[in-house]
């Protein structure tokens, strides 16, 4: 048994998020909306930075990668071709008294954990009838301790309609994944770019799933952002195992080196034959130790030529690639690394959360690339005009290069503590000494140390520290 523990509890993360403006409940003034959250002023900075870093690392810096921004509402045949209309479903049961619905697999997982079963079955690999048998044999009840209904599949796609008449002929879906926009644009991408296999297409965008499991904060929501890549290759000339391993290494590097996640709280989990989709030759989840256990952040699957072939069948258009040297015509195979940006965000927040017992403070040790503010500037006292004037000058100057927070409320200690919770790496205080000798106090978030820096040396100091 490993003794690695989550950094914190979900309650602590949600309360910090609300207090400091990282994440809010959606429509709070109306009582909230299940599985929906908003990103506040601090959260949106972190979220954007994660997306920019992903785009920079996986698209901008690679010659073999192209970007795309496809629509949320696609032609409805897309989802018939992809299999989502028929089989994009979760197993559900209903509480016979309250009529609340629950995911059958989640009830089983909770039951196994509560009853501390040795060698528990792999729930992800259970079929509908296996779940039904398990629930019956173990007399599993709903969270309200009531009897539950039979297990049924519940489709996760959100339906809507185009135009004024809401009938079958106008029915469309909010996309359940961004990936299908890449497959359905494959021909146009080939026709409009000089691309040679292997190459990939990536996009970041909103996806929608009618999730009913509550209580996992931004981990599982109705509306979320995916960052997905389809990497196309010729299986006769490229070794898929080597490509797959290379993508796994890139995902790991991004999580540990770019986002700065502690590797001890990350692990790979391979899908076994029962869990893996029938068209996939290999699938792994990159899991993080969230406050509610090891859970999938990022998936990688070798999907073969399944998706392109399905779209060829449903559109009656060729999605073949012609090798420019050999003139061989074929449907490329694909490896798909797919991540939820909101799950990366939650991982980043949880991993950075630290209680500094010695100094009785809470610190968000975010990598400085991800912090909502890189700097904070304070005048020691807000009613001393000359201090405020000098601090404002410094704030405005630094604001041209960095995201800087201004705070003049309350005592200086409280201001430091609130910046620690926001993850601001450096706080600069302008005091009476500044007016005499042009030096300021620079206070570091991680060890709470303070030093005096001359204003003439500040630019170099910050360039070195915030490289
Ligand atoms: N195209 C493949 C695909 O969509 P997936 O495992 O269903 O695969 C990919 O989703 C990623 O999207 C997951 O690894 C997860 O990070 C994120 N994701 C899926 N459902 C989510 C939800 N309801 N809320 C937040 N993120 C979600």
């Amino acid at each position: 048994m490993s003794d690695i523990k989550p950094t914190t509890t979900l309650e602590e993360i949600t309360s910090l998020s609300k207090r400091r403006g990282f994440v809010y409940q959606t429509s709070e003034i109306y009582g909230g909306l299940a599985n929906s959250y908003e990103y506040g002023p601090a959260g949106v900075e972190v979220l954007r930075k994660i997306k920019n870093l992903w785009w920079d690392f996986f698209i901008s810096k690679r010659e073999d990668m192209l970007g795309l921004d496809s629509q949320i509402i696609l032609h409805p045949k897309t989802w018939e071709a992809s299999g989502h209309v028929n089989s994009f479903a979760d197993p559900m049961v209903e509480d016979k008294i309250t009529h609340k619905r629950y995911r059958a697999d989640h009830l089983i997982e909770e039951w196994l954990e509560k009853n501390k079963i040795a060698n528990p079955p792999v729930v992800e690999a259970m079929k509908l009838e296996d779940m039904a048998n398990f629930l019956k044999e173990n007399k599993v009840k709903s969270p309200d301790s009531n009897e539950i209904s039979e297990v049924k599949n519940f489709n996760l796609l959100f339906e809507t309609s185009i135009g004024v008449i809401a009938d079958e002929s106008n029915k469309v879906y909010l996309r359940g994944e961004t990936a299908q926009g890449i497959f359905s644009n494959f021909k146009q991408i080939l026709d409009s770019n000089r691309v040679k296999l292997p190459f990939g297409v990536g996009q970041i965008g909103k996806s929608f799933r009618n999730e009913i499991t509550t209580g996992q904060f931004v981990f599982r929501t109705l509306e979320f952002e995916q960052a997905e890549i389809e990497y196309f290759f010729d299986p006769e000339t490229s070794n898929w195992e080597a490509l797959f391993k290379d993508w796994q290494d890139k995902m790991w590097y991004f999580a540990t080196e770019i986002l700065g996640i502690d590797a001890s709280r990350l692990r790979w989990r391979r899908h076994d034959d029962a869990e893996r989709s029938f068209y996939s030759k290999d699938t792994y989840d990159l899991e993080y130790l969230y406050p509610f256990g090891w859970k999938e952040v990022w998936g990688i699957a070798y999907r073969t030529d399944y998706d392109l072939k399905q779209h060829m069948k449903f559109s009656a258009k060729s999605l073949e690639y012609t090798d420019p040297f050999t003139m061989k015509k074929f449907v490329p195979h694909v490896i798909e690394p797919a991540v939820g940006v909101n799950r990366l965000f939650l991982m980043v927040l949880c991993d950075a959360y630290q209680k500094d017992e010695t100094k009785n403070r809470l610190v968000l040790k975010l990598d400085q690339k991800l912090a909502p503010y890189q700097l904070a500037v304070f005048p020691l006292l807000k009613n001393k005009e000359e201090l405020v004037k000098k601090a404002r000058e410094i704030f405005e100057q630094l604001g041209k290069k960095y995201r800087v927070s201004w705070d003049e409320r309350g005592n200086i200690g409280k201001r430091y503590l609130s910046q620690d919770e926001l993850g601001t790496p450096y706080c600069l205080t302008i005091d009476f000494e500044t007016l005499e000798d042009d030096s300021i106090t620079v206070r570091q978030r991680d060890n709470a140390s303070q030093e005096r820096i001359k204003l003439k040396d500040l630019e170099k100091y910050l360039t070195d520290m915030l490289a």
Side-chain angles (χ1 to χ4, degrees):
M1 267 308 254
S2 136
D3 57 0
I4 303 161
K5 295 209 166 51
T7 50
T8 174
T9 65
L10 197 58
E11 290 70 35
E12 285 173 324
I13 286 289
T14 45
S15 121
L16 170 76
S17 295
K18 189 175 160 69
R19 192 165 68 244
R20 295 290 168 210
F22 284 98
V23 179
Y24 306 133
Q25 196 186 10
T26 293
S27 307
E28 195 201 33
I29 59 166
Y30 294 107
L33 186 69
N35 293 339
S36 303
Y37 294 93
E38 330 270 65
Y39 290 80
V44 73
E45 294 283 342
V46 180
L47 200 65
R48 286 184 88 97
K49 285 171 182 168
I50 293 174
K51 287 187 276 187
N52 289 345
L53 289 168
W54 183 94
W55 193 270
D56 191 52
F57 183 69
F58 288 111
I59 311 279
S60 305
K61 292 218 168 87
R62 291 182 60 137
E63 195 185 353
D64 59 344
M65 289 294 301
L66 299 168
L68 180 76
D69 192 354
S70 74
Q71 293 289 285
I72 284 169
I73 298 175
L74 301 172
H75 194 289
K77 269 198 179 171
T78 312
W79 305 105
E80 288 171 37
S82 67
H84 284 74
V85 170
N86 282 333
S87 54
F88 188 48
D90 277 341
M92 298 290 177
V93 292
E94 197 174 295
D95 179 307
K96 286 188 175 168
I97 309 288
T98 64
H99 300 292
K100 280 192 202 153
R101 288 185 177 168
Y102 298 99
R103 287 259 305 255
D105 50 339
H106 292 174
L107 285 188
I108 295 174
E109 277 166 4
E110 281 157 25
W111 188 92
L112 288 169
E113 201 164 305
K114 201 165 126 205
N115 290 282
K116 309 241 176 303
I117 303 295
N119 303 321
V122 179
V123 181
E124 284 92 347
M126 284 181 155
K127 303 230 163 9
L128 207 64
E129 62 194 86
D130 301 331
M131 292 191 201
N133 290 338
F134 185 98
L135 292 168
K136 217 173 260 164
E137 276 165 23
N138 296 293
K139 300 192 173 51
V140 178
K141 298 253 166 69
S142 81
D144 291 327
S145 310
N146 300 320
E147 300 282 318
I148 51 174
S149 68
E150 287 292 310
V151 192
K152 281 200 194 107
N153 268 329
F154 176 77
N155 196 291
L156 295 177
L157 279 183
F158 274 106
E159 289 178 15
T160 184
S161 48
I162 293 180
V164 284
I165 304 166
D167 67 7
E168 273 300 300
S169 63
N170 293 325
K171 184 154 91 184
V172 287
Y173 304 94
L174 303 187
R175 68 180 170 201
E177 61 175 24
T178 57
Q180 295 307 321
I182 300 179
F183 295 123
S184 55
N185 276 300
F186 183 69
K187 184 172 160 23
Q188 312 208 74
I189 290 169
L190 282 186
D191 292 348
S192 58
N193 292 273
R194 283 176 298 111
V195 275
K196 245 179 31 244
L197 288 181
F199 74 90
V201 180
Q203 73 169 324
I204 299 181
K206 286 257 168 128
S207 292
F208 301 80
R209 296 183 189 179
N210 202 350
E211 303 276 6
I212 60 146
T213 299
T214 53
Q216 293 181 323
F217 198 38
V218 297
F219 180 82
R220 191 180 305 281
T221 48
L222 302 180
E223 199 178 307
F224 55 98
E225 270 182 297
Q226 289 185 308
E228 297 200 282
I229 290 168
E230 302 303 333
Y231 198 74
F232 300 99
F233 63 95
D234 176 353
E236 285 183 5
T237 56
S238 292
N239 175 318
W240 76 263
E241 274 123 331
L243 281 181
F244 197 93
K245 171 80 177 57
D246 185 52
W247 277 104
Q248 281 187 295
D249 290 346
K250 297 268 173 351
M251 291 156 65
W252 188 270
Y253 181 87
F254 185 82
T256 56
E257 302 298 322
I258 298 188
L259 300 184
I261 302 301
D262 185 333
S264 69
R265 283 187 285 273
L266 284 170
R267 71 176 188 194
W268 288 107
R269 189 179 67 79
R270 191 180 197 176
H271 288 207
D272 66 14
D273 291 350
E275 182 183 0
R276 212 175 47 242
S277 310
F278 68 91
Y279 49 76
S280 168
K281 275 213 175 138
D282 208 355
T283 302
Y284 277 81
D285 289 345
L286 180 59
E287 295 187 330
Y288 176 74
L289 185 55
Y290 286 102
F292 37 84
W294 288 100
K295 297 278 172 199
E296 173 188 351
V297 187
W298 211 326
I300 174 164
Y302 172 21
R303 298 174 69 110
T304 65
D305 53 4
Y306 175 77
D307 302 270
L308 286 179
K309 282 201 168 147
Q310 282 294 102
H311 287 296
M312 280 176 71
K313 198 162 117 194
F314 278 74
S315 67
K317 298 268 161 45
S318 169
L319 300 179
E320 285 174 317
Y321 168 87
T322 307
D323 187 296
F325 301 113
T326 61
M327 301 313 280
K328 179 178 82 165
K329 244 181 151 179
F330 62 99
V331 179
H333 280 217
V334 80
I335 286 173
E336 179 196 67
V339 69
V341 180
N342 315 82
R343 289 191 186 180
L344 289 177
F345 171 92
L346 183 58
M347 169 172 81
V348 159
L349 222 60
C350 293
D351 219 64
Y353 191 100
Q354 284 191 24
K355 280 184 204 145
D356 181 353
E357 310 286 358
T358 54
K359 300 208 165 54
N360 193 22
R361 64 182 189 139
L362 174 67
V363 199
L364 210 51
K365 290 195 175 171
L366 291 170
D367 187 296
Q368 47 98 353
K369 293 191 294 298
L370 295 167
Y373 299 99
Q374 290 158 302
L375 301 170
V377 171
F378 315 143
L380 183 66
L381 299 168
K382 79 168 179 192
N383 48 7
K384 291 284 174 226
E385 205 182 309
E386 60 277 39
L387 286 185
V388 175
K389 185 164 171 274
K390 185 75 185 169
R392 251 354 261 186
E393 272 171 27
I394 295 170
F395 170 78
E396 273 157 30
Q397 191 57 30
L398 292 172
K400 291 180 189 156
K401 188 163 173 196
Y402 303 104
R403 180 95 175 115
V404 192
S405 169
W406 170 265
D407 195 355
E408 55 183 24
R409 301 158 309 160
N411 73 43
I412 204 84
K414 281 202 179 134
R415 289 187 232 165
Y416 285 147
L417 293 185
S418 72
Q419 293 299 329
D420 285 344
E421 292 195 359
L422 276 169
T424 310
Y426 298 97
C427 293
L428 316 181
T429 302
I430 286 74
D431 54 23
F432 293 106
E433 252 180 276
T434 315
L435 304 178
E436 280 164 22
D437 67 359
D438 259 359
S439 70
I440 57 166
T441 300
V442 178
R443 190 248 190 202
Q444 295 199 22
R445 173 196 72 192
D446 290 352
N447 53 15
S449 67
Q450 299 189 10
E451 58 186 315
R452 287 304 283 189
I453 302 280
K454 291 278 185 197
L455 279 175
K456 67 175 175 43
D457 301 326
L458 187 62
E459 192 181 332
K460 179 167 181 338
Y461 176 91
L462 293 177
T463 308
D464 292 347
M465 300 307 250
L466 295 169

